[in-house]
Amino acid sequence: MPQTPIQTVLVTGGAGFIGSNFVHTLVEERPDWRIVNLDALTYAGNLDNLEAVEGREGYAFVKGDVCSREDVDRALDAAEAFGGPLGVVHFAAESHVDRSIESGLPFVQANVMGTQVLLDACRARGVGRFVHVSTDEVYGSLGKEGFFTEETPLAPNSPYAASKAASDLLVRAACHTHGFPACITRCSNNYGPYQFPEKLIPLMIANAAEDKKLPVYGDGMNIRDWLYVRDHCEAVLRVLEDGRAGEVYNIGGHNEYPNIEIVKAILATLGKPDTLIEYVRDRPGHDRRYAIDAAKIDNELGWRPRFTFEEALPLTIRWYQAQTTWLQRVRDGAYREYYARQYGS
Ligand code: NAD
Ligand code: TDX
């Protein structure tokens, strides 16, 4: 039995890539729970991702900014109206490293300020469970050997990673000072359905499908530890139900690949030639390698990934191939019309 019998979940950033997958995971795995989704619908928020749950009893969407106490209170009101013990899962963030290199301030605003506003509001309501969804990037970059554990010192290298590390420290402080019952999760790179095609895997699939060049940064030998998004969502759910307050849980799949191998695997699956690959200028400050030691969440909460890369990468490629309309609407901006149609402007 879960230590806290949650009945309602407030999800922030539920219209984004991982947040929308988490909403779908909850609908499937906890069909009795009520869900409130608070999302500002930035360029990365897409209600097309949630068409299947729109109108469902026990689901409510609140358009709002986590930086606004008024918006957060509205979402908490909606969650309290559903009743029962409440848990909060905080996904909302600016999430793309390249954008943070262009301009760091929106990252400080959404990721740092937004997290503090949310913490204050949740604490004032006596929220009993809170999961802060963070990233392995807060640990910085690894050499050829070793893994990030929960004890690895924070050494973020991009403005994105620094803003996430700052938000982690604010959550930590809320736990330490106020006894606020939060957990922090730090996950490696996700892939799967509904990922905005600015990130490596969906960008490469979309470009290859149109015979466009596939831009690989630097020498293509930077390594990421890839995890299927459904596995991440199930890990977050385990932490929400049974994580120990004040603890950090790393989430990863022991699934390291250099970028160039991912790109070549995508081309091979789509039957496209390697000549589409174009090596381009490296990302400034580009972290060389991420790799997660996920022993703690395995030992304490019994979570480990269900999907192998060999099955889930082709699954993901097929999903994008089948969802040409979704992809087209994201790429030409039409996905933004959904909100106006559904909710009025
Ligand atoms: P995403 O960019 O796809 O989605 C972010 C969502 O948050 C969007 O729906 C957006 O509209 C919303 N949002 C942004 N600013 C907001 C604000 N101020 N108020 C309310 N909503 C706001 O991101 P993602 O890839 O789904 O990542 C979700 C979370 O998981 C982030 O916190 C990210 O740091 C973390 N994470 C992501 C990965 C990954 O590989 N994508 C890995 C580890 C951790
Ligand atoms: O066009 C590209 N070419 C390329 O070579 C892009 C977009 C990326 N890359 C490289 C950079 C990275 O080494 O691919 C790797 C993955 O890049 P991204 O998809 O941008 O992910 P990353 O920077 O690793 O960060 C992601 O994982 C951790 C998410 O975007 C973060 O939100 C998460 O915290």
Side-chain angles (χ1 to χ4, degrees), residues 6-10 33-36 78-80 82-88:
I6 290 166
Q7 286 171 4
T8 301
V9 182
L10 170 60
W33 289 14
R34 273 85 57 154
I35 304 165
V36 175
E80 284 178 359
F82 276 141
L86 173 63
V88 175

Side-chain angles (χ1 to χ4, degrees), residues 39-120:
D39 197 297
L41 298 183
T42 68
Y43 80 93
N46 181 358
L47 288 177
D48 284 357
N49 301 355
L50 294 163
E51 259 185 304
V53 297
E54 202 62 63
R56 179 190 159 86
E57 203 183 327
Y59 171 79
F61 174 70
V62 175
K63 183 176 187 292
D65 189 331
V66 286
C67 300
S68 154
R69 178 65 182 257
E70 208 185 310
D71 290 356
V72 171
D73 277 332
R74 250 185 328 120
L76 284 165
D77 288 344
E80 284 178 359
F82 276 141
L86 173 63
V88 175
V89 182
H90 180 32
F91 292 100
E94 287 294 333
S95 70
H96 192 39
V97 172
D98 292 326
R99 287 177 188 258
S100 81
I101 292 168
E102 231 175 77
S103 174
L105 211 51
F107 287 73
V108 175
Q109 181 70 21
N111 302 359
V112 185
M113 303 285 283
T115 298
Q116 187 61 50
V117 170
L118 186 67
L119 286 170
D120 289 345

Side-chain angles (χ1 to χ4, degrees), residues 12-20 38-46 49 64-68 90-96 106 109-111 114 132-137 160 164 185-191 194-196 198-199 226-227 232:
T12 73
F17 163 48
I18 307 174
S20 61
L38 170 66
D39 197 297
L41 298 183
T42 68
Y43 80 93
N46 181 358
N49 301 355
D65 189 331
V66 286
C67 300
S68 154
H90 180 32
F91 292 100
E94 287 294 333
S95 70
H96 192 39
Q109 181 70 21
N111 302 359
H132 175 64
V133 178
S134 190
T135 169
D136 60 357
E137 299 199 15
Y160 160 70
K164 291 297 291 188
T185 60
R186 295 189 180 133
C187 189
S188 56
N189 286 58
N190 284 214
Y191 65 100
Y194 303 121
Q195 188 166 29
F196 197 85
E198 63 184 353
K199 307 283 167 65
W226 294 95
L227 184 71
H232 183 192

Side-chain angles (χ1 to χ4, degrees), residues 152-176:
T152 302
L154 301 186
N157 288 321
S158 70
Y160 160 70
S163 70
K164 291 297 291 188
S167 67
D168 289 15
L169 294 180
L170 292 172
V171 175
R172 180 183 189 278
C175 294
H176 183 84

